[in-house]
Amino acid sequence: AKKSGKNRHAWFDASMERDLQARNELESGLRVAIPRHQIVPYFEQQVELGSGKLTGFEVLARWEHPTRGLISPEAFIPIAEETGMIADLSLSVMHQAFTAARDWDPGLIISINISPWQLRDAWLAQKIIKVLTETGFPARRCEIEITETALFDNLALAQSIVGSLKNQGVRLALDDFGTGYSSLAHLRALPFDRIKIDKSFVTSLIESADSAAIVGAIARLGESLNLPVTAEGVEDAEIEQRLTAIGVSKGQGWYYGKPLSVAGARRLLAERRLI
Ligand code: C2E
Ligand code: CA
Ligand code: CA
Ligand code: CA
């Protein structure tokens, strides 16, 4: 039976109100969680395909909520961006990650996600360099991952920020390549050192001929531009094998393990004599 318009409305309003309330709770929670260092770095292994050698970690933010457990960045990064809290959040996560990683094996690269929103801050490079100095973490062991979206409305600023960081030895990766957010034109706009293939193509590599063709094309593009390629979303041995055959140099994903806490990463490194 068809519901009366009035009832449908009442139900819809109630659910929207719940969404809005949940969002507001996350926002006010986030405001105190950042200074209390409850937004913490988790570490996802990055490996050299073929040898299986650990080359470093991608840092992924997690909210260690006192009552709700771990909250995913998909739930709070957009709120942090809308409210401008992303700047403090990002510097706090970076500070914790570099502090943890400074006495790990010096061969390990630490990759940090920078949101396009942050590339509008003229002081971003100075702020990142300050965190590197404070923590004593060498710039050449740091890689910045950028997914471009709104970068082109201030390309000159993004170029100058990236230029200052690269002068210090920081590396630059283009994240989520192949999606609507990162395309061919962006490759030339900034001095990237690496391309990361979006996980959507990698997880579907075996079932989808289209995905396989796209991954192959990105690998060849990387070869001709002399940019090494990392595949994210490596979920099993079959995908790893296929990527190796295609010529992708690095991989990361659940096949190598879920992202680790600082303590978890330390345990892994101790087992492998990398700490
Ligand atoms: P991303 O940078 O593309 O990160 C990769 C995401 O894929 C991570 O989700 C990771 O946990 C997940 N993943 C890893 N391996 C696999 C796999 O084998 N299969 C599948 N299906 N997924 C896998 P996560 O940690 O939930 O992060 C989501 C997004 O949140 C990130 O996407 C990134 O855009 C953003 N993010 C996370 N941490 C930060 C941060 O500190 N700063 C900023 N600005 N953004 C962050
Ligand atoms: Ca990333
Ligand atoms: Ca990515
Ligand atoms: Ca992504």
Side-chain angles (χ1 to χ4, degrees):
K2 206 172 154 193
K3 280 183 190 161
S4 84
K6 193 176 162 221
N7 276 341
R8 210 169 53 218
H9 243 106
W11 178 83
F12 192 60
D13 285 349
S15 104
M16 285 203 321
E17 204 169 296
R18 272 196 304 277
D19 285 354
L20 190 65
Q21 199 186 333
R23 193 219 172 272
N24 287 342
E25 270 166 26
L26 280 177
E27 181 182 333
S28 50
L30 201 51
R31 223 170 270 290
V32 296
I34 298 167
R36 288 180 189 164
H37 307 300
Q38 286 167 358
I39 313 294
V40 300
Y42 267 58
F43 297 85
E44 178 164 315
Q45 297 175 58
Q46 299 183 316
V47 310
E48 194 175 82
L49 296 174
S51 72
K53 185 182 165 223
L54 181 70
T55 61
F57 296 94
E58 175 176 359
V59 173
L60 295 162
R62 297 286 180 271
W63 184 349
E64 281 181 341
H65 196 280
T67 56
R68 293 169 54 180
L70 274 195
I71 302 180
S72 151
E74 318 264 21
F76 63 82
I77 296 283
I79 297 176
E81 289 175 337
E82 285 163 31
T83 55
M85 287 190 266
I86 189 72
D88 286 345
L89 183 154
S90 179
L91 293 170
S92 164
V93 169
M94 238 182 270
H95 202 287
Q96 296 174 70
F98 294 154
T99 302
R102 70 183 153 207
D103 52 315
W104 297 354
D105 186 281
L108 298 169
I109 303 295
I110 302 297
S111 300
I112 301 282
N113 288 287
I114 290 294
S115 109
W117 188 93
Q118 295 177 264
L119 288 172
R120 299 199 185 113
D121 173 4
W123 294 97
L124 180 66
Q126 285 74 8
K127 288 173 183 173
I128 294 176
I129 293 164
K130 181 162 175 264
V131 177
L132 288 165
T133 311
E134 280 171 2
T135 57
F137 191 79
R140 70 195 141 68
R141 288 172 56 197
C142 172
E143 183 172 78
I144 300 285
E145 298 189 2
I146 306 180
T147 13
E148 182 280 340
T149 46
L151 181 152
F152 281 80
D153 54 53
N154 211 334
L155 182 59
L157 180 55
Q159 283 169 328
S160 114
I161 292 168
V162 160
S164 310
L165 290 169
K166 287 206 66 164
N167 278 340
Q168 302 287 314
V170 172
R171 301 158 204 233
L172 189 66
L174 180 54
D175 204 359
D176 297 348
F177 192 73
T179 66
Y181 298 124
S182 286
S183 70
L184 288 171
H186 308 150
L187 266 178
R188 286 187 10 215
L190 294 172
F192 290 104
D193 301 295
R194 171 171 296 278
I195 302 172
K196 295 191 73 179
I197 308 180
D198 189 67
K199 61 178 178 288
S200 60
F201 305 114
V202 179
T203 53
S204 60
L205 183 59
I206 307 298
E207 315 86 81
S208 158
D210 287 351
S211 294
I214 291 167
V215 172
I218 298 175
R220 286 192 298 276
L221 180 70
E223 255 164 50
S224 35
L225 294 176
N226 223 347
L227 289 174
V229 171
T230 298
E232 54 179 36
V234 183
E235 293 183 345
D236 56 43
E238 203 182 352
I239 295 176
E240 184 190 62
Q241 265 164 25
R242 186 73 77 85
L243 289 168
T244 311
I246 291 172
V248 172
S249 66
K250 269 202 221 175
Q252 58 180 93
W254 297 339
Y255 180 53
Y256 310 105
K258 291 281 169 77
L260 300 162
S261 64
V262 169
R266 290 190 69 88
R267 264 194 300 277
L268 175 92
L269 294 169
E271 275 166 23
R272 304 210 185 156
R273 310 243 174 280
L274 290 169
I275 201 170

